[in-house]
Each structure stands twice: as C-alpha cells, then as structure tokens.
C-alpha cells in the first residue's frame, strides 16, 4: 500500500491534476497497491471512490475552464438606436449619390449652340447613358440615348433652349448590335461634331451612330458647309479619322 505522503505521487502519475483538489488533505481509509506486472492500480476501502470523485472533479474543472476561455462575442439583436443610425447612414449615401449625379461634367462643344449642349444635359439627367444621336429641330432638339443599363434606346424631344423635355418620341429595346457599337466608342459624339465642323464650318443639322459592315462611325450632316453645299462627314468612332460621305 501507499501511505498518505505518497498519495500525491499516485495522483500525479494517474490523474495529473487531482492532487490540486484533494491530495493528503483528505485522508483515505484503505490501501492501494500498484501491480507492476499488469500496470493496474488496485485499491480497497473508500480509496477507489475518492479516486473516482477526484477524476470527476478534474473533468468538470477542465470543462468549465474550456467554456470560460471561449471569448467569442455573443450575437445580439440591434437596438432601435443602432437601426436608426444605419437607416440614416443609408439615406445619407443615397443623397450623396444623387448629388454626385448632379455634379457630373456638363456637355460641352466648341461648335454647337448652347441650347444643344443644354438639351443633351437635360436628357442625360433624366435618362443616364451614352449619347448616340442629336438632331436640330425647328422648335427644339431631339436627343438619342442608349441607357446606361444598355437595354433601352430613347429619342427625347426638348424645347428650343434645351432646358425642358417636351416628350419622348421613341423608347424601345436596344438591339445587341447597338450595344456592341456603343461599347466600341472611343471618340464621343460631341467631340466628333466639333472635329467635323472645325474642318467643314456651317450649320449643324443632325448626327447619328452608323456603320458599314465593321466600319462604325458618326454620320454628321452640316448645312452650307462646302461652297454653300451641305456636307455629310463620317468620323471613325475608334480613332477620329474623317472622310466625306460620297
């Protein structure tokens, strides 16, 4: 058997942390002997009961320690103030996006009248997208746009000074070919008009996106451009090269 002073050794050998809870502070009635041949510990009296209690206490303490070390934050439902703050933040972002849209660069042209660029700005503010056509009318302007989601083509009429939309003449689904042509644009319509009218001064009539097979260009019609004659100028959308339409 093992006297009391050796019990911590037994506990340390078979239950490493058990002597921290009981050890010799709790005297056992009975004896234990280690059978070296089998490696088993044989106890009589209430020694085995106390060893079992020690084991159970050790396992419980280890479990509690593991639970206590879990420092992951608990999920909590947002408070009403947090919800209000989130909603306010979203509203602020929406307002900022609207202001950014208003601050978008205005259309500009060195050759077109101010009413033309005003008409372009007015229509693009209502129908954001890519400008693909512009016609001068007796009572105003017609602006053609492929919407920014690339699904719709719109023809919109404005008043004479371009400040108000008068009506939407056409609104229809964009053809895939139209979308592909717009994606290839490197030289915008207003830039092409300025380029054409700088070389062939006259009175702007209309401009549209057109193509001959794989050749995609801006077709720009200028009245009284060459010796009093009208001119149709093609401007390549990729590199800005110009040529007169025969």
């Amino acid at each position: 058997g093992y006297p009391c002073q050796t019990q911590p050794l037994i506990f340390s050998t078979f239950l490493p942390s058990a002597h921290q809870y009981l050890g010799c502070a709790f005297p056992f009635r009975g004896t234990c002997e280690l059978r070296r041949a089998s490696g088993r510990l044989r106890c009589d009296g209430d020694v085995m009961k106390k060893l079992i209690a020690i084991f159970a206490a050790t396992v419980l303490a280890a479990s509690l320690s593991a639970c206590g070390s879990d420092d992951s934050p608990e999920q909590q439902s947002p408070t009403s103030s947090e919800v209000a703050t989130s909603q306010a933040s979203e509203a602020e972002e929406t307002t900022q996006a609207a202001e950014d849209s208003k601050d978008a660069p205005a259309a500009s042209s060195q050759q077109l009248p101010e009413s033309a660029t005003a008409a372009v700005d007015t229509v693009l503010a209502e129908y954001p997208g890519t400008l693909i056509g512009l016609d001068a009318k007796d009572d105003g302007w017609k602006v053609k746009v492929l919407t920014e989601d690339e699904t719709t083509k719109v023809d919109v009429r404005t008043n004479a000074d371009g400040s108000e939309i008068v009506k939407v003449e056409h609104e229809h689904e964009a053809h895939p070919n139209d979308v592909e042509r717009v994606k290839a644009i490197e030289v915008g319509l207003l830039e092409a008009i300025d380029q054409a009218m700088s070389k062939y001064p006259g009175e702007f009539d209309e401009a549209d996106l057109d193509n001959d097979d794989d050749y995609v260009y801006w077709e720009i019609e200028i009245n009284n451009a060459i010796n009093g004659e009208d001119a149709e100028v093609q401007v390549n959308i990729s590199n800005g090269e110009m040529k007169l339409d025969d």
Side-chain angles (χ1 to χ4, degrees):
Y2 294 86
C4 181
Q5 63 267 23
T6 63
Q7 287 175 12
L9 177 61
I10 296 174
F11 299 153
S12 297
T13 303
F14 297 97
L15 300 171
S17 62
H19 67 279
Q20 298 175 11
Y21 297 94
L22 295 178
C24 287
F26 295 85
F28 295 173
R29 292 191 298 272
T31 59
C32 291
E33 64 177 356
L34 178 63
R35 297 188 174 181
R36 300 187 182 278
S38 62
R40 294 179 179 178
L41 182 69
R42 181 183 179 87
C43 302
D44 59 11
D46 62 359
V47 175
M48 186 58 71
K49 293 180 181 180
K50 288 192 177 286
L51 286 175
I52 294 173
I54 292 170
F55 177 76
T58 303
V59 172
L60 178 59
S63 299
L64 292 175
S65 175
C67 291
S69 64
D70 185 6
D71 55 0
S72 58
E74 296 182 1
Q75 291 185 344
Q76 297 180 352
S77 299
T79 64
S80 57
S81 61
E82 291 173 336
V83 171
T85 300
S86 176
Q87 292 175 342
S89 177
E90 291 176 0
E92 183 178 352
E93 290 175 359
T94 301
T95 301
Q96 186 62 47
E99 292 177 353
D100 291 344
S101 177
K102 292 179 181 178
D103 293 338
S108 63
S109 171
Q110 301 298 319
Q111 302 295 330
L112 289 172
E114 290 184 4
S115 59
T117 55
V120 171
D121 286 337
T122 298
V123 174
L124 289 178
E126 187 68 24
Y127 299 95
T130 302
L131 178 67
I132 58 173
L134 180 65
D135 296 354
K137 300 296 181 181
D138 292 337
D139 56 353
W141 296 90
K142 180 163 74 172
V143 181
K144 303 176 183 180
V145 175
L146 175 68
T147 56
E148 62 184 352
D149 60 5
E150 300 178 342
T151 62
T152 309
K153 290 176 65 177
V154 292
D155 297 355
V156 184
R157 291 286 293 271
T158 74
N159 60 357
D161 64 8
S163 62
E164 296 180 4
I165 291 176
V166 175
K167 65 178 179 178
V168 177
E169 283 193 346
H170 301 287
E171 185 171 359
H172 51 88
E173 183 178 354
H175 192 278
N177 290 344
D178 295 326
V179 176
E180 291 303 315
R181 291 190 299 177
V182 168
K183 287 181 177 179
I185 293 175
E186 296 292 339
V187 179
L189 178 54
L190 297 183
E191 180 182 351
I193 291 172
D194 280 353
Q195 184 175 328
M197 294 188 68
S198 293
K199 186 170 184 178
Y200 304 101
E203 181 183 351
F204 174 79
D205 185 20
E206 65 178 292
D208 286 289
L209 185 63
D210 206 346
N211 73 288
D212 288 331
D213 297 325
D214 293 334
Y215 174 55
V216 185
Y217 57 91
W218 298 111
E219 177 84 1
I220 302 168
E221 298 183 16
I222 307 171
N223 297 331
N224 303 316
I226 305 175
N227 299 324
E229 297 293 329
D230 299 342
E232 294 183 1
V233 184
Q234 296 179 357
V235 180
N236 190 310
I237 67 167
S238 297
N239 54 30
E241 291 182 354
M242 288 192 303
K243 67 178 183 178
L244 288 174
D245 190 6
D246 299 332

